Amino acid sequence: MGKEIIYLTAEGYKKLKDELDHMRSVERPAISAAIAEARDKGDLSENAEYDAAREAQGLLELRIAKLEDTMANARVIDESKLDKSKVQILSKVTLLNKKNNRQVVYTIVAEHEANLREGKLAIGTPIAQALLGHKKGESISVQVPAGLLEFEITDISI
């Protein structure tokens, strides 16, 4: 079974790389030191501190492995080659909510970069899926758990 390709912005890729570097160079040595310190305290069969440090090490190694896998399957998107006339990944889309006449701005990003507080909407969400391929001036309707939303696309940029 093939690995799923993960599309990231250059910023998103750098953020993942920095997180991985931090885990390898700061967190991993700190846990190793905690294990060594706990080991020096004697009987390991009744040493809760040692057990906790070993468990933390296992969790960290799992996180590192997942991040390495993500980065191995990541492709950085070349923004200069994107079609700016229609909504796609990395598009910054300005929408007019037809019910309350309010504007919202979302940037369509990969799942790993999604952050609603920053206006970064994951490509797999219902709203992003409904927007993909549409152009400025078009209207879309999307069913979400809260009900039917209707938007007009007022601007698209990268």
Side-chain angles (χ1 to χ4, degrees):
M1 189 167 121
K3 295 280 185 175
E4 178 184 347
I5 294 176
I6 299 161
Y7 294 99
L8 297 172
T9 61
E11 174 190 347
Y13 187 83
K14 183 185 180 322
K15 201 179 280 188
L16 286 180
K17 185 179 181 325
D18 291 347
E19 182 181 352
L20 183 59
D21 290 345
H22 177 78
M23 283 186 219
R24 287 175 174 161
S25 64
V26 176
E27 292 181 39
R28 187 182 268 166
I31 288 177
S32 293
I35 289 171
E37 184 179 315
R39 191 180 300 124
D40 291 343
K41 292 185 179 178
D43 185 13
L44 298 181
S45 65
E46 295 180 15
N47 190 333
E49 196 176 319
Y50 177 78
D51 292 340
R54 292 289 300 186
E55 186 175 331
Q57 181 185 40
L59 292 172
L60 177 67
E61 292 303 326
L62 182 64
R63 284 177 38 219
I64 288 173
K66 282 185 178 181
L67 210 46
E68 287 173 338
D69 188 52
T70 297
M71 292 188 67
N73 295 307
R75 302 294 179 268
V76 177
I77 298 168
D78 183 352
E79 295 179 30
S80 67
K81 294 182 179 177
L82 295 176
D83 179 0
K84 296 168 182 63
S85 69
K86 62 183 177 182
V87 179
Q88 57 190 331
I89 194 163
L90 290 191
S91 292
K92 185 175 185 176
V93 185
T94 305
L95 304 170
L96 177 65
N97 185 322
K98 290 184 176 183
K99 287 185 181 173
N100 63 17
N101 246 7
R102 285 196 171 156
Q103 279 198 335
V104 291
V105 178
Y106 294 121
T107 301
I108 311 298
V109 296
E111 304 292 334
H112 292 81
E113 295 183 67
N115 184 335
L116 209 48
R117 285 193 182 114
E118 295 175 7
K120 294 180 177 180
L121 193 63
I123 196 161
T125 61
I127 294 174
Q129 287 292 305
L131 288 169
L132 291 176
H134 288 277
K135 297 182 177 193
K136 181 178 175 176
E138 292 184 356
S139 294
I140 62 143
S141 297
V142 60
Q143 186 68 43
V144 294
L148 185 68
L149 297 176
E150 294 185 30
F151 296 106
E152 179 181 334
I153 301 171
T154 58
D155 192 37
I156 301 170
S157 61
I158 300 284

